[in-house]
Amino acid sequence: MSDPDQQQLHSLVLSAELNSENENVEQLGPIIKSIYDTGRQEAFLEQLATFVRKKEGEIERMCNSNYQEFVQSVDQLLKVRQETVNLKNKIIDLNYDVQKSGKKVAAKKKELIQTRKIQKNIDEAVETLQLCLHVLDMANRVNYLVEEQKYYSALRTLEELQTVHLRKVIQYEFARHMHESIPVMQNSVKDAVTEEMKGWLYSVREVSRQVGKIAMEQMSLRQERWKVRVSQNPELRSVPVSSPIEIVMNEENEFNIINNDEVEIDFKPLYQCLHIHEELGKLSEFKTNYEEDRKNNEKGFEAFLQDVVGFFVIEQIIVQSTQNFRTRGEVDSLWNTVITKVVKLVAESLDDCRDPELFQQIKISLFTFIQTLEDYGYNVNTFTDLVLIVFQKYSDMLKHKFSVDFHQTIIDDDYMPMQVSRETYDAVVDACWFKEDNRISQGFPKILPFSQAYPSCCLDVKNFVDQYYQFAEEDSKKYSYVDDIVQQTLDHLLIDHVDGALRGKLQSTNMSQIVQIIINLEYFENACSELEKLLKTKRSSHRGGKIKLYAIDEFRETRKKAEKRIFELVNSKIDDFLELADYDWIPVSIHEYPSPFLQDMIGFLGALISSTLYNLPVSIKTFIYFDALSHLATSIRDLILNPDVKKINSNAIINFDVDVTFLENFARGLDDPNIADAFLELRQIVTLLQAENAEEYLEPSLRNKKYSLLRPVDVVNLFEKWLRDQTISMSAEERARRRAMEGVVRSLRLSSS
């Protein structure tokens, strides 16, 4: 084996000694591979065998050098073993001795343990008996507390018994029975406190009316004191009772209505009952039963109001002094139910009432009732309808009373201008807002334009307003519809019972009566304006806006109908005269004077103007005159245009001109000269038929100036009537006029076609 091979093998063995825990496969691999590659396997094996023998010799030498020490160690181990065996025997003997002496100790220990167990059982029995006796004592104490009316303490004792003491003895039969009886005992406490509360509730019900009476009396005193303050300080006039200002100023006069010389109510039974039910979790049951017990029965009006006030004053105190027992909503719900009864009772009380004093008493009681409950925090806005009913029924009562007076006044009126003496003049003037004008006669007795009915009705209206506002007193400041009711009622009175009555008399044919109605209506219109001012002064100062009486429009409308009725009657008279008209349209001569029927008619109209229509206002007379004379003019025009009139001649036109001139002169003599325009169309007919040149009608400028009211069809009609008159001898001038008329007729017919 070559030296390199020996070195490699030596390195490998050395590496193996240094890394005895690892196989040097990685190093061995390259060496073996090299030996195989060189074919030196046999040489390597020989070298390896030599190496092994060498190492075995080294091991043998090492073992021979430490052998004596090994033998000594074995001898020592044998000695230790012998001593161990001896010690074990001694321990066994000692254990036997200990066991023998421990049996006596164990017996005594067992006796001690048994004695202690007996002692423990005795102690537990004594303790249990003490607990049971305590439980029984507490159960008896509950009954004692109930008898002493200490209900809450009884309830707390039961709770302690149930949650603490019974649990310690619950294994015993009597304890289980007592535990099952706890709800029964709690109900006994509840029944006892409820019974006491019902007794209290009965006593409260007995004094509720007294409480209500005292509360309403105190409110009346406050109202009186406040009226005195307002009279002393007018600036407080707009401040109502129960306002913050009034409450502050009334603090010195505060009065306890449930604790005084007359009434004393202790709420302890209620509070105690409430507390017990709340602890038992049965508050809702108690609230339901309480609400049923608090239901009231209807009684007399005054007593009913006092009962209601007392009832709800006590309820208010309960709401304020308890927590969640009586909520505000529950009491308000009951309050709303009672309102329905109050409204019904008041309405029934007033249905057949015709006594103003009784009305006043009912109103005072009702308003004191409302203000008292408002002072205790109740919402009285829902009483608006009730207050409205009171004022409406009082207003209806006055309306019924005065409607009878109005009706009788209208029936009894003589419809003649009223004559007054010096002694009665001022009273009449003051009653009807009359102001003298130049139509009134000087000196006494005076003749006033209106009839007796007018000042009588005005006086009744003033009395109505005064009586209503005496009833209302200061209430209109709080309830605005108080003013609205009187306004509406006045309107109904004036429209239904004054205007309606006057309108019914317009069917009369008595012209003097209708003329007087027209005059009265004119004054009634003025009176409505004055009445609006009166209502505004009566109305509360805080309300603005304009007051409008619709009666003024109704009076105005009725006056127009009365004027129309006058027109109808006058025109009817004119028609009567026109039936007497007997015109000759082809006379052989002319006359100097107007037609007789016109003279009679104008005589009638003159007498009518100077007597029957004399007192009418100028404006109304002007309308009557113009309408009557326009009707006359139209009727006369229809006479000449009548198809039955076939011919007319120049003499007829001359006579016709005399009549028209007569009518024009009469009209110009009236109050308004423009009334003569009623005959303008007749004047244009005369002018056209007497014109030298009829063709000027065809000239637009002349036509608009002289013949604006004449229609072409009427002109054709008139000219044809003229042309039919065949006069044997005709002057050249007349022939020229006829040709001109013929030319106008042809032109007008052509233009119309």
Side-chain angles (χ1 to χ4, degrees), residues 109-360:
K109 179 65 175 178
K110 186 175 181 180
E111 291 177 1
L112 179 61
I113 291 172
Q114 185 64 27
T115 302
R116 288 181 177 175
K117 186 176 181 181
I118 293 172
Q119 180 66 39
K120 181 181 178 182
N121 290 338
I122 293 172
D123 292 341
E124 288 178 353
V126 171
E127 183 180 357
T128 301
L129 286 173
Q130 289 176 343
L131 288 174
C132 292
L133 289 173
H134 185 62
V135 167
L136 293 173
D137 181 63
M138 290 187 70
N140 290 330
R141 180 169 174 76
V142 169
N143 294 329
Y144 171 76
L145 291 172
V146 170
E147 291 175 0
E148 293 294 316
Q149 297 181 339
K150 297 179 179 180
Y151 305 108
Y152 183 69
S153 297
L155 203 61
R156 290 276 67 81
T157 301
L158 280 174
E159 183 180 2
E160 182 182 352
L161 189 62
Q162 182 182 26
T163 58
V164 179
H165 302 289
L166 279 178
R167 289 184 179 181
K168 297 177 181 179
V169 293
I170 195 65
Q171 67 271 25
Y172 303 109
E173 183 67 26
F174 90 93
R176 288 194 295 272
H177 177 72
M178 185 174 290
H179 187 272
E180 293 172 357
S181 301
I182 291 293
V184 177
M185 299 175 72
Q186 289 175 335
N187 284 332
S188 298
V189 175
K190 182 195 72 172
D191 293 342
V193 74
T194 302
E195 189 66 27
E196 182 180 350
M197 191 278 297
K198 287 186 175 181
W200 172 84
L201 200 59
Y202 177 78
S203 65
V204 167
R205 189 176 292 117
E206 290 297 309
V207 299
S208 288
R209 183 180 302 176
Q210 186 68 14
V211 172
K213 180 182 178 182
I214 294 172
M216 294 176 70
E217 287 175 351
Q218 289 300 313
M219 178 54 67
S220 297
L221 290 174
R222 283 177 62 181
Q223 291 171 341
E224 292 300 322
R225 285 195 297 268
W226 192 244
K227 286 182 180 180
V228 173
R229 287 184 182 272
V230 170
S231 65
Q232 295 172 350
N233 185 1
E235 293 181 358
L236 298 175
R237 187 171 299 153
S238 60
V239 179
V241 176
S242 296
S243 65
I245 295 177
E246 188 274 337
I247 291 173
V248 171
M249 299 181 73
N250 190 57
E251 284 182 348
E252 60 184 22
N253 298 308
E254 285 187 357
F255 184 83
N256 191 335
I257 64 168
I258 62 169
N259 190 1
N260 51 68
D261 295 338
E262 298 183 45
V263 174
E264 184 174 357
I265 300 177
D266 183 5
F267 286 85
K268 180 182 175 181
L270 174 64
Y271 299 154
Q272 192 167 237
C273 191
L274 171 61
H275 196 185
I276 295 300
H277 281 80
E278 188 174 13
E279 289 294 322
L280 293 175
K282 296 184 178 181
L283 185 59
S284 59
E285 175 188 334
F286 176 52
K287 290 166 69 174
T288 301
N289 293 336
Y290 178 88
E291 193 163 347
E292 289 296 323
D293 289 339
R294 290 295 275 160
K295 286 184 178 178
N296 214 339
N297 295 323
E298 293 185 14
K299 300 178 182 178
F301 182 74
E302 188 73 21
F304 177 72
L305 294 184
Q306 292 174 358
D307 285 345
V308 171
V309 171
F311 179 94
F312 283 101
V313 166
I314 293 172
E315 285 295 297
Q316 173 67 9
I317 295 172
I318 292 173
V319 169
Q320 293 177 344
S321 58
T322 60
Q323 294 182 350
N324 300 324
F325 167 58
R326 291 289 278 168
T327 66
R328 187 77 225 185
E330 291 170 340
V331 176
D332 286 343
S333 177
L334 186 58
W335 168 243
N336 292 332
T337 302
V338 171
I339 287 175
T340 304
K341 291 186 177 181
V342 173
V343 171
K344 180 181 178 182
L345 181 60
V346 173
E348 291 175 352
S349 300
L350 299 177
D351 275 343
D352 301 320
C353 183
R354 291 292 181 266
D355 184 358
E357 292 184 2
L358 180 57
F359 251 108
Q360 187 73 16

Side-chain angles (χ1 to χ4, degrees), residues 494-495 499 503 521 549-559:
L494 294 173
I495 293 173
D499 180 76
R503 185 175 297 187
L521 287 168
L549 287 175
Y550 296 99
I552 191 171
D553 297 327
E554 297 296 326
F555 284 134
R556 187 177 295 115
E557 187 64 28
T558 302
R559 179 166 57 83

Side-chain angles (χ1 to χ4, degrees), residues 493-506:
L493 273 174
L494 294 173
I495 293 173
D496 297 340
H497 299 285
V498 178
D499 180 76
L502 293 175
R503 185 175 297 187
K505 290 187 171 293
L506 295 183

